[in-house]
Amino acid sequence: MKAIYLVRHGKAQDAFEMRESVLPVPAENQVRIKVEAFGLNFADVMARKGLYRDCPPLPCVIGYDVVGIIDACGKNVTCVNNGDRVVAFTRFGGYARYAVIDEHGIAAIPQDMPLTFAGALATQYCTAYYAAHECVNVFAGDQVLVHAAAGGVGTALVQLLKHKGAVIFGTCGSDEKVNYLRALGVDHPVNYITTDYRKEVTGILDGKKLDVIFDSLGGKYVRDGIKLLGAGGKMVCYGGAHMNDTKNIFSKLAFGVQFGLYHPVNLLRKSKSIIGIYLLQLSDHKSHIIYRCLHEVVKLAGEGIIKPSAGMEFPVSELPEAHEAFEKRKTIGKVMMKW
């Protein structure tokens, strides 16, 4: 089978190589999927740049979510059947024509579900669901800030939070994305490139504070966000995309310092919380949570509560170009690489 290997760290044009690989055989609790398309995630960019500590040694096949058709099932698998179209988590190995996945990481989807929507249900919507439904309670009227709201997880969060009745502030990096967020239902979209989002949020709140912040950027955005939270406020952190802007060891150290230092007593005294999410650790140690979240978002999709939105498809031959666009935040919604 064909697989795309990460062979060296650095620029996308030099990092990947198409190779022939052995067709995998599913174990008794696994399925094999003929992959229709695989998704891009920020962890892919970090792995390519040598910044993702959990990435296997090179050369390796990365990739964390796929959409495709099951063509083989292990003898103990009962939740799906050969021929089912599924969305699935891959703990690496997604950049390949076939992928083998444990049954806890798959869910059947309609044959006609749009590709970018189907792909987003795994990493993006599961992250958003876990963040907004299991890590915190968000209530109607809560003032909520979503960073990088035009991205995959951001889009998913906006849809879930709108269903809860929250008032949403969303940051993004272009006027095009501002228009996208406005159409998505964001109450207060902010272009953080041209506007100081902190002043914008503070001005709109008019003396009030935020209830929840969902942060995928890390660094100074966490430190600044804590100041924007009121009593009972919660900061939910699920990424460090801003680290992508670091150029050397000194800027990486500065990025770490920018998060700030938080003593439990200060958080207690101000009744604030900081919550971290790392889906790979949940998959390794609490796979039932992944299974629950995945099936919940598929159910919500079936009920029309979450709906297809903007996304982008590229042929696998354009993987370097897609990686570069994704890294530079020039994409909107879920990005899928189609075989």
Side-chain angles (χ1 to χ4, degrees), residues 61-298:
V61 179
I62 59 174
Y64 306 97
D65 45 45
V66 300
V67 174
I69 305 296
I70 293 178
D71 83 329
C73 292
K75 66 178 183 179
N76 292 341
V77 174
T78 59
C79 62
V80 288
N81 300 293
N82 284 357
D84 285 349
R85 188 174 187 235
V86 295
V87 58
F89 283 101
T90 53
R91 196 190 187 287
F92 305 106
Y95 285 26
R97 195 65 176 94
Y98 289 85
V100 165
I101 297 114
D102 290 341
E103 63 176 340
H104 71 257
I106 58 176
I109 57 174
Q111 294 287 343
D112 62 350
M113 180 177 281
L115 183 57
T116 54
F117 184 47
L121 291 178
T123 306
Q124 279 70 38
Y125 274 92
C126 280
T127 299
Y129 184 89
Y130 183 67
H133 282 257
E134 301 205 4
C135 289
V136 298
N137 286 323
V138 177
F139 299 96
D142 280 355
Q143 307 280 342
V144 178
L145 170 63
V146 179
H147 280 302
V153 179
T155 295
L157 278 167
V158 170
Q159 292 190 350
L160 292 170
L161 292 167
K162 288 302 291 184
H163 182 63
K164 285 173 169 281
V167 178
I168 304 174
F169 296 77
T171 66
C172 62
S174 72
D175 290 338
E176 177 189 5
K177 291 182 178 181
V178 165
N179 292 332
Y180 168 73
L181 293 183
R182 192 171 284 115
L184 195 61
V186 172
D187 300 280
H188 306 291
V190 182
N191 182 342
Y192 71 89
I193 301 296
T194 59
T195 304
D196 186 330
Y197 81 93
R198 297 166 299 181
K199 292 181 179 178
E200 185 78 4
V201 170
T202 300
I204 293 171
L205 288 174
D206 192 24
K208 297 180 181 179
K209 294 280 190 174
L210 292 169
D211 297 297
V212 187
I213 297 175
F214 295 94
D215 177 75
S216 61
L217 302 176
K220 64 182 181 181
Y221 292 92
V222 174
R223 182 193 64 215
D224 292 342
I226 290 292
K227 297 175 184 176
L228 293 172
L229 288 173
K234 301 174 181 67
M235 168 77 69
V236 183
C237 303
Y238 57 91
H242 196 54
M243 186 169 66
N244 187 52
D245 299 329
T246 61
K247 305 298 182 183
N248 52 50
I249 185 63
F250 300 106
S251 57
K252 289 179 177 64
L253 289 172
F255 174 77
V257 171
Q258 287 172 359
F259 275 88
L261 298 175
Y262 308 99
H263 194 282
V265 170
N266 288 333
L267 293 175
L268 186 155
R269 192 165 55 84
K270 297 181 179 180
S271 192
K272 296 182 181 181
S273 307
I274 301 176
I275 301 164
I277 298 174
Y278 186 24
L279 236 56
L280 194 64
Q281 285 292 310
L282 290 177
S283 178
D284 286 348
H285 302 290
K286 292 193 173 183
S287 60
H288 65 281
I289 292 178
I290 298 295
Y291 182 88
R292 180 174 67 232
C293 290
L294 182 57
H295 283 76
E296 283 296 322
V297 298
V298 169

